[in-house]
Amino acid sequence: MLTSFSEILKSATWSDHEAAEGESYLTELMGGRLTTTEYGEMVAQHYFAYVALDGVSRTLAGHPVAGRFVFPELYRERALERDLAAIYGPDWRDRIAPSKATRTLVARIHQVADWPGGYIAHHYTRYMGDLSGGQFIRMELQKIYGYQKGGGVDFYVFDEVGSLPRFKNEYRARLDALSLDEREQQRIIREVKLAYQLNTEVLTELLHVVKTAA
C-alpha cells in the first residue's frame, strides 16, 4: 500500500509520464533523425517555459510552502542560453519564438503561481524528469550531435546539484513533508497530469512543424 505522497503522486501520474516520454518527437530526436535546427526548436521552447518557471520560483523564494521547492541550483535559463547560442549562433534571440502550445504552458504556470500546490506540480513535472530520464537524453544527444558541456546540451547538466540520487531523495522527502489533506493531494495530482499533457502538446506541435517542413 502506498503511504507517502511522493509514492502516491508517482503512481497516479506514471501513465502520463510514460506518454510524455513516448512522444513521437522524442522518438525522432533520439533516433538521430532530426537536424540540429529541429533539435534547437525543442531547446527554444524549453527556454520560454523555464524563463516562466524559474521566474515564478524567484518570486516564491520566501513562501513558507512553495519556497521549500525553490532551488536556485536548478535554474535552467542560463544553461539554455548557452545551448541556444551553440545551436543558432549569437543572434539566437532573433531566431526563436514560443509556439502556441508553449504559450499555453507558460500561461498555466503563471496562472497557478499563487497556489503553492500548482507551482509544486509544474516544478515536479519538469525538474524530476530532467534529473531522471533527461540524463539519458543528454548522453544520446552528445552522441548524435557531438555537443559537450559548454553549450548544446547544458540544459541537462546539473553540476551545481551534486549527487542527483541524493537530491531526488531530498525532493521526495519534501513532498512527503507537505501537510496535505486528501482533497489537496488529488488537486495536485490533477495539476501534474495537466502539466504532463501541456508539455506533451509542446512536443506534438514541434513534430507537426518538422513533418510539415519535410
Side-chain angles (χ1 to χ4, degrees):
M1 180 178 178
L2 301 177
T3 56
S4 69
F5 179 56
S6 62
E7 292 176 327
I8 293 170
L9 180 60
K10 181 178 180 179
S11 176
T13 61
W14 185 250
S15 61
D16 305 272
H17 170 82
E18 288 194 315
E21 284 199 337
E23 210 286 327
S24 295
Y25 175 90
L26 289 180
T27 301
E28 294 294 301
L29 178 66
M30 302 303 283
R33 293 184 287 274
L34 298 184
T35 66
T36 302
T37 301
E38 289 167 343
Y39 161 55
E41 284 294 326
M42 182 185 75
V43 179
Q45 302 315 309
H46 282 342
Y47 174 74
F48 293 110
Y50 279 91
V51 166
L53 185 58
D54 292 345
V56 169
S57 290
R58 291 182 179 94
T59 66
L60 294 175
H63 192 281
V65 178
R68 293 278 293 159
F69 295 85
V70 173
F71 303 93
E73 62 269 34
L74 291 182
Y75 291 165
R76 295 291 86 194
E77 186 176 343
R78 296 293 173 259
L80 285 162
E81 288 176 353
R82 292 193 298 273
D83 290 343
L84 289 166
I87 295 167
Y88 290 111
D91 62 341
W92 63 268
R93 290 184 188 276
D94 298 324
R95 301 179 62 183
I96 66 172
S99 66
K100 180 180 178 181
T102 296
R103 292 195 300 271
T104 301
L105 171 60
V106 167
R108 184 59 182 175
I109 290 171
H110 286 300
Q111 186 178 14
V112 299
D114 60 351
W115 167 38
Y119 163 72
I120 292 168
H122 285 270
H123 194 277
Y124 167 86
T125 302
R126 283 299 338 173
Y127 276 115
M128 288 299 272
D130 299 336
L131 294 167
S132 300
Q135 299 308 297
F136 171 74
I137 293 175
R138 174 180 60 81
M139 290 186 289
E140 291 302 302
L141 292 178
Q142 286 178 321
K143 295 176 187 176
I144 295 168
Y145 298 104
Y147 291 121
Q148 299 299 323
K149 289 182 182 180
V153 292
D154 279 13
F155 168 72
Y156 298 104
V157 177
F158 290 89
D159 286 345
E160 293 183 11
V161 169
S163 168
L164 297 190
R166 187 184 306 117
F167 181 89
K168 289 190 289 183
N169 286 337
E170 172 60 23
Y171 196 106
R172 295 185 190 101
R174 295 190 184 200
L175 287 173
D176 295 337
L178 291 169
S179 180
L180 305 171
D181 58 22
E182 176 66 20
R183 184 168 177 267
E184 184 66 1
Q185 284 190 10
Q186 291 304 314
R187 189 182 177 199
I188 292 173
I189 287 170
R190 287 195 299 272
E191 190 64 30
V192 169
K193 286 176 170 289
L194 176 60
Y196 276 124
Q197 177 188 330
L198 294 176
N199 279 281
T200 300
E201 288 172 358
V202 171
L203 297 177
T204 299
E205 189 172 19
L206 283 177
L207 183 64
H208 176 72
V209 171
V210 169
K211 287 189 175 297
T212 301

